[in-house]
Amino acid sequence: MNRQDDFAMLQRQENGAPLAYLDSASTSQKPTVVLEAMRAFYQKSNANVHRGNYQLAEEATEAYEGARKTIADALKVPSSTIIFTKSTTDGLNLVAQSFALSEVQPGDEILLTVAEHHANLLPWQRVAQQKGARLRFVDLNANGEIDWAAFEKKLNQKTKLVAFAHVSNVLGSVAPVKALTRLAHAYGATVVVDGAQAIGHFPVDLKDLDVDFYAFSGHKALGPTGIGVLYGKSALLEEMAPVQLGGEMIETVTKTSATFAKSPFKFEAGTPNIAGAIGLARAMTYLEEIGLSQIEKEEQGLLSYALKELAKLPEIVIYGPLSAARRSGLIAFNVRGVHPHDVGTILDMDGLTLRAGQHCAQPLMTALGVSSTLRLSFSVYSQKEEIDRLILSLKRVLEVFS
Amino acid sequence: MNQKEVSRQLYRQVMMDHARAPHHLHPLKKRANTFFAKKINQSCGDAYGVEVEIEKGRIRRLAFDGDGCAISMAASSMLFDQVQGKTIEEAESIIRRYFDAVVAVGCKQKPDVTGLGELEMIIHVGHYPSRVKCATLTGHALSDALAKARMDQSV
């Protein structure tokens, strides 16, 4: 089985060497079946959704709502709780503007971690500012990992909302979501989870996790850009006011007033990214066909191997847990004495595409005491041989800088 | 030269020598007749301060201070070597020609490397748009400092 054959992008040469795409945490490559599904929609079933009475329109609507159901089933929740958004950032901003701005009161607390991506930090900064609430943070412990042991100490009766990443986009650590959610609920807090780095890497059962909101992006899960999902518990979505207003999210409209549709349509104003939704659903099916547990197992193998090989080079500093078992598919690291951008450029010369930068997590960079790091990340098409190439190239970096 | 060979022009020995022991890297002194400017690279947070001391319209001494990637350290060292002792106008012209050469490389055109000395090596950074800022950051700061010098009648 060569899964790489499913991904045309991987045929590309990078600077005269075969591409080793190791930045899937930034965006993933797309299997041909996903692109075909989107093309087929535009070429055979394209019409606007929820509007027309004609056969073609019914077909388009079925394709779009079918996509919603595929995704809902994969996550073990009802279709009405799956809202199509542009991205994780879009979803988190929607929760902030719709839920938090009305529910958070002066004197309330919002609990985050210092490791959050800016998309799961800035919206809460604004809510706190506008509502007179206080932001609190779970910091890093002495091992440079998120101090979940301190989470409960920072919860109290004033905590209105808790927000954190399922998988940290820098530390690679997997948060104990179910346990954290149970704790947060005991204090009456609402739980918002950034699932951008989780979906597509291991099984996620939103019903079992019992979170209140969960956002993720299609493009990080083998789907196209411009589509994402926000999950919200029915009771919460029912009470929330829509942020984007316009067509298709209404029941009746007069000159001076409007009543809104039910969820999820209430939150999907205008013509949606129909092809994007279809592409995302096809991507989720592709992932389910391999099996999320199988994907998790393969990724664990790659992570173990990478961690072991990187540990052999004393100049490499790894951020986050040193054991694969506590990680999902990414490893952030630095080469002592060499600026990550220099490492990144030399790796690029060898066809290896890794991210070098601040990963939209400046407070975390500060907490780690670094200005930027490299990041290696896997997806279903990643291979052990790419890790071997990485080690060789890192040795070349060490020679150049010796 | 194919793409791979061209890309390996960066990080050659001469460039690495400059990166390891940059010329003109000193804490800034802010004496009389010195003009100062600072720049930050948003993509990585690296920051550099630059100062230039002018006497009778010429660069008597110049220095940069800060920490960053090898490309930024080497480029600063090489650029400052080239403009040392030149008039303000000559220095500004060298900086402009350096930037133009980097852009030319990026557009796959033949760069004009007249008077650029060892900078001829660094202009290959034009093949890596995300690193161009690294190679030109102190050049921009130096331009700012020289512009201040030009406006000051006393030097």
Side-chain angles (χ1 to χ4, degrees), chain A residues 1-7 10-11 286 380-383:
Chain A
M1 162 200 66
N2 196 349
R3 210 178 285 148
Q4 291 216 334
D5 291 340
D6 291 347
F7 298 85
L10 299 179
Q11 305 313 313
Y286 180 90
V380 299
Y381 38 76
S382 302
Q383 299 190 333

Side-chain angles (χ1 to χ4, degrees), chain A residues 94-107:
Chain A
L94 175 56
V95 178
Q97 287 169 36
S98 176
F99 176 81
L101 275 184
S102 86
E103 293 303 308
V104 172
Q105 301 306 328

Side-chain angles (χ1 to χ4, degrees), chain A residues 339 341-342 345 349 396 400, chain B residues 7-8 11 20 46 70 131:
Chain A
H339 196 289
H341 283 170
D342 288 318
T345 297
M349 290 174 184
R396 194 162 83 78
V400 169
Chain B
S7 69
R8 284 179 199 278
Y11 300 107
R20 263 185 226 109
D46 291 346
R131 305 302 304 282

Side-chain angles (χ1 to χ4, degrees), chain A residues 16 47 57-58 114 126 136 147 179 199 215 222 227 243 267 278 285 300 315 344-346 360 373 382:
Chain A
E58 296 288 355
V114 71
R126 179 167 285 183
R136 296 190 68 192
D147 193 3
I199 298 294
L222 311 188
I227 189 85
V243 172
F267 302 102
I278 286 166
T285 304
Q300 283 291 304
E315 298 88 346
T345 297
I346 292 174
C360 299
T373 82
S382 302

Side-chain angles (χ1 to χ4, degrees), chain A residues 19-250:
Chain A
L19 172 67
Y21 186 75
L22 293 166
D23 195 18
S24 292
S26 173
T27 199
S28 63
Q29 303 302 342
K30 323 302 171 196
T32 305
V33 291
V34 164
L35 306 174
E36 274 307 311
M38 295 172 70
R39 192 170 67 84
F41 172 75
Y42 277 126
Q43 290 188 327
K44 301 200 185 114
S45 309
N46 183 48
N48 212 328
V49 298
H50 304 136
R51 287 164 175 78
N53 292 333
Y54 45 92
Q55 184 63 34
L56 175 58
E58 296 288 355
E59 223 174 89
T61 303
E62 262 172 46
Y64 181 69
E65 291 305 324
R68 192 193 308 274
K69 180 145 197 327
T70 298
I71 294 163
D73 289 349
L75 299 170
K76 315 265 192 289
V77 290
S79 282
S80 61
T81 62
I82 295 294
I83 299 165
F84 281 120
T85 62
K86 290 193 319 235
S87 60
T88 309
T89 301
D90 192 29
L92 293 171
N93 272 273
L94 175 56
V95 178
Q97 287 169 36
S98 176
F99 176 81
L101 275 184
S102 86
E103 293 303 308
V104 172
Q105 301 306 328
D108 281 350
E109 292 184 2
I110 297 173
L111 180 57
L112 311 170
T113 81
V114 71
E116 294 314 305
H117 184 288
H118 297 161
N120 203 24
L121 168 61
L122 268 64
W124 314 119
Q125 286 178 350
R126 179 167 285 183
V127 169
Q129 209 175 63
Q130 287 186 351
K131 302 297 294 203
R134 186 180 160 211
L135 287 184
R136 296 190 68 192
F137 293 87
V138 175
D139 293 307
L140 300 183
N141 61 23
N143 291 335
E145 297 177 36
I146 300 170
D147 193 3
W148 291 121
F151 177 76
E152 192 176 2
K153 292 197 202 84
K154 304 216 166 176
L155 281 171
N156 60 60
Q157 296 304 328
K158 290 190 264 177
T159 314
K160 187 52 78 60
L161 191 144
V162 162
F164 57 87
H166 197 157
V167 174
S168 164
N169 75 313
V170 175
L171 302 172
S173 47
V174 184
V177 177
K178 199 165 169 184
L180 296 172
T181 300
R182 199 180 296 129
L183 272 174
H185 283 166
Y187 285 86
T190 301
V191 177
V192 183
V193 176
D194 166 3
Q197 298 296 343
I199 298 294
H201 294 273
F202 51 84
V204 174
D205 178 340
L206 293 182
K207 179 152 188 264
D208 183 55
L209 293 178
D210 201 31
V211 300
D212 298 297
F213 294 102
Y214 194 97
F216 68 92
S217 297
H219 73 94
K220 291 192 205 278
L222 311 188
T225 47
I227 189 85
V229 166
L230 174 67
Y231 159 79
K233 281 189 173 161
S234 298
L236 296 173
L237 294 180
E238 202 74 23
E239 294 300 306
M240 281 160 61
V243 172
Q244 292 238 321
L245 310 173
E248 288 310 303
M249 44 75 70
I250 47 87

Side-chain angles (χ1 to χ4, degrees), chain A residues 378-389:
Chain A
F378 302 122
S379 182
V380 299
Y381 38 76
S382 302
Q383 299 190 333
K384 182 172 158 291
E385 175 255 348
E386 291 168 341
I387 299 170
D388 292 333
R389 282 176 60 187

Side-chain angles (χ1 to χ4, degrees), chain A residues 243-282:
Chain A
V243 172
Q244 292 238 321
L245 310 173
E248 288 310 303
M249 44 75 70
I250 47 87
E251 290 213 322
T252 55
V253 183
T254 67
K255 275 199 293 191
T256 52
S257 67
T259 59
F260 301 126
K262 289 200 178 327
S263 173
F265 311 110
K266 182 170 58 165
F267 302 102
E268 294 182 5
T271 299
N273 182 356
I274 307 166
I278 286 166
L280 174 52
R282 189 59 187 87

